[in-house]
Amino acid sequence: MKKQQRLVVRTAILLVLLAAVGYTIYANFFTEKTAVAVGSTAPDFVLTDLNGQKHRLSDYRGKGVFLNFWGTWCKPCKREMPYMNDWYPVYKQQGVEMLAVNVGEPKLSVKKFAERFGLTFPIVIDQEDQVLNAYNVGPLPTTFLIDKNGKVKQIITGTMTKEDIRRHLESIKP
């Protein structure tokens, strides 16, 4: 009787494992992946900033959006954040919004980082990486330049200089 029970349990475990492997293969090879690409409409989202204010991407229609994904631990992010901060007030007046999406770190860490660098542009936190995944972001920093119609104009991966940021902000002015 014990041998028969063991056989049933082993068979059930084997079937569960086979189902998991089958699903993984199906999900990776046979389902369509919708990556955000240049020319596509930027996926809408709502995230809350450090002051508790909600930011919905679609609310920025009619303006250019400099959408930057970053982390406090990311050295290239630390280098470009002050440059972004320098240009923010200049381009905000010209119809370009800047939105920095922190990828799932505690609010306190992000707030301390923002205070240390004196950052004035909106910083939102993507606690569950939903926006990060929707945009298929790989390495940080990654920036999406979104035009006034909500279309992705360019995707930049890696650090930008102060002049790079100015040039990119200029390119999405409405």
Side-chain angles (χ1 to χ4, degrees):
M1 189 68 162
K2 285 209 181 244
K3 282 186 180 181
Q4 192 175 13
Q5 285 179 330
R6 253 194 314 234
L7 179 64
V8 169
V9 169
R10 287 179 178 167
T11 304
I13 291 171
L14 183 63
L15 287 172
V16 168
L17 284 172
L18 285 172
V21 168
Y23 176 76
T24 302
I25 290 170
Y26 169 78
N28 283 321
F29 295 106
F30 299 107
T31 57
E32 189 177 327
K33 301 219 182 346
T34 56
V36 176
V38 172
S40 66
T41 299
D44 199 13
F45 60 84
V46 178
L47 290 174
T48 306
D49 68 18
L50 298 175
N51 302 319
Q53 183 182 343
K54 292 197 180 299
H55 293 264
R56 179 183 302 274
L57 183 65
S58 57
D59 288 346
Y60 294 116
R61 283 282 164 90
K63 298 179 176 189
V65 179
F66 186 93
L67 182 65
N68 178 266
F69 289 85
W70 68 285
T72 61
W73 46 266
C74 164
K75 289 195 187 316
C77 303
K78 287 179 188 175
R79 280 195 297 274
E80 72 182 14
M81 283 284 174
Y83 302 145
M84 290 167 56
N85 203 50
D86 289 346
W87 290 122
Y88 175 63
V90 174
Y91 282 90
K92 182 174 177 59
Q93 291 181 343
Q94 298 179 43
V96 177
E97 279 297 331
M98 195 174 279
L99 203 53
V101 179
N102 176 272
V103 291
E105 294 183 83
K107 185 177 179 179
L108 184 62
S109 301
V110 177
K111 196 172 188 104
K112 282 183 178 181
F113 181 94
E115 287 169 359
R116 189 168 91 226
F117 286 93
L119 303 178
T120 57
F121 49 82
I123 297 173
V124 295
I125 301 176
D126 185 14
Q127 281 300 350
E128 284 135 33
D129 294 343
Q130 291 175 324
V131 179
L132 179 84
N133 293 331
Y135 279 77
N136 200 22
V137 173
L140 297 179
T142 294
T143 302
F144 291 79
L145 301 178
I146 302 167
D147 71 13
K148 65 180 182 176
N149 301 314
K151 301 282 186 200
V152 175
K153 190 167 181 189
Q154 191 174 351
I155 303 169
I156 301 114
T157 304
T159 313
M160 291 179 271
T161 65
K162 187 171 184 176
E163 184 52 33
D164 290 337
I165 293 170
R166 186 200 63 74
R167 195 176 66 252
H168 292 312
L169 288 166
E170 196 65 36
S171 76
I172 55 173
K173 280 192 335 192

